Amino acid sequence: MTAAILELRNVNKSFGPIDVLHDISLKVHAGEVLCLLGDNGAGKSTLIKTLAGVYQPTSGELLMDGQPVSFEGPREAQKAGISTVHQFGGTFPLMSIGRSFFIGAEPTKGFWPFKIYDRNKANEIAVKAVQEFGITRIDDGDRLIGGLSGGERQSLAIARAVHFGARVLILDEPTAALGVKQASHVLRIVLEARKRGIAVIFITHQVTHAMAVGDHFAVLIRGAVAANFRKGEKSREEITDLMAGGEAMAALEAAISSHSLASETNPPAA
Amino acid sequence: MNTFSFSDLLRRPESGAVLGLLFVLVFFVIFGSVEFLKPAGAASWLNVAANLGIVAIPVGLLMISGELDISIGAMIPAGALTVGIISGQFGLPIWVGIAGALGLGVIVGLINGLLVVNTAVPSLIVTLGTLFAVQGLALGFSVLLTGTTSVALSPAESGAIAKALFGQFIGGGFQVTIFWWLLFTAVYVFYVHYSPFGNWLFAMGGDRVSARNAGIPTDKLTITLFVLSSVSAAFVGMCQAILFNVAQVSAGMTFIFNSIISVVVGGVLLTGGFGSVIGIFLGTITFAIVNQGIYFTSFDRNWSSLIIGAMLLLAVLMNNTFRIMALTYSPKKK
């Protein structure tokens, strides 16, 4: 088996006296979707920021293609091929599709100081890149980003990352703010990215979405990997239980049933 | 693809400015006279527009990028006084005076930019601070070095070349700054709308963090814009000193509000990320026409403030509508 594109070995991260990540070891291979599940505050954000070069691990190793790497900042991680797409797509509502697609890497024609931003070329490439991902509704690169639906924005951001050579795609809650239909669009794009041999790290707390596309799952609880399993090894209920911390959920259920008993004996005042 | 359509026009940031300009033109032709469109009349508002416009465009670009610069109100007299003191009072060559004025602009711009980038203080407060600081410095040094707050700069001290370039009237009443204004506008239009630089600017105003992550040097760009607005203000002050042969401490505060009004009427979004240079250009002309057109009517001068106030509110409301139209636009299926 080839080396994983990205691997974490015993990574710890603490902010001063507060330990956020404990001894995390994870791998993601090319053409594989790793789903990171966890409740709010489980350390998902810290983990992806560590992967994306925003934070450096306090201890432990980050490996790319089997070689230890360390990133000074998000740009270095991006150069190495790790791209993060955030919940709102990291795009600019009042800019056109073509312009925002090429932010920071604008195609130009002419020579300095008369370099002209090549609008037609930018629009053409951007629209083509998005359509290749199956979003055929986008056909005019001059449309403003703010006019797109949430799913289309996500898709655009993913297509952009792939176009600029992402090998590892970190998707931070891409479906969190979306409706059912929009979310399914995004999931289809995740599968398309996987088909192209990109390693996808998919962060979510929606188990249904994770089950639909994931090959490999890791559940984070209080900054540690509580479970690490492959597709089909656990049922949806088991995963939900795990995420909520199992016993805590059982305790809550007990509390609810005792409360409903109590309210039966003491009916609320009319 | 390139067929002209009215709705295409309405979605552009400057559409409000075009309508505003048409409105004030019609208004002053009806209530005043067509005199103000003839050369002698046009000179009066073109002169106002030119001086204001040279400052309003960089102020507008800062607003597009999400910042504000009000220190220009002090930079204009400071630029005038610098050239007045260096070349008028001490008799050094005019080029030294001009370099001094523009150099002061660079320094104040750098201070503004560095403070905004390196602290979390909003640019309104930072430039409010430098506004008063620069005003105090200009006043203090002027009294200290010349004993007065109005420094003479005779045409002989300016020299024929500088006078011709920066401070003469052409064809009767047209200030030479009008040509500088047109030149600067053309350069800004190119860099903001036809070069990658403009893309960075809009991205920065739209979402600074995402822009930085995309590899745009946001800090450098912000500092450059602050330097640009301070230098432009110093340039206007310098031109006025050479034109009127005198530099005064007091002229300049009106530029703060006037430039912001021009920019907003021109369709720039106050919170950044949207606007155009042509819009600011048209907004400046609109403002200047209202400001000067009142003299061509039988109305009292004071009514022009009412018109400007109402126009500003109308412009903001209209621009919101146009922006929503732009956002919701999607091409019809072919």
Side-chain angles (χ1 to χ4, degrees), chain A residues 78 99 106 108 113 116-117 147, chain B residues 191 194 196 199-200 203 213 327:
Chain A
Q78 237 162 37
R99 279 179 181 268
E106 292 82 0
T108 54
I116 294 178
Y117 162 74
Chain B
Y191 276 101
Y194 294 98
N199 230 15
W200 299 1
N213 285 343
L327 274 176

Side-chain angles (χ1 to χ4, degrees), chain B residues 88-130:
Chain B
Q89 182 74 15
F90 294 123
L92 290 167
I94 189 71
W95 304 110
V96 178
I98 292 172
L102 300 182
L104 181 69
V106 172
I107 292 168
V108 174
L110 279 176
I111 293 173
N112 281 337
L114 286 169
L115 280 176
V116 168
V117 165
N118 292 315
T119 67
V121 182
S123 50
L124 174 68
I125 305 301
V126 168
T127 56
L128 185 63
T130 48

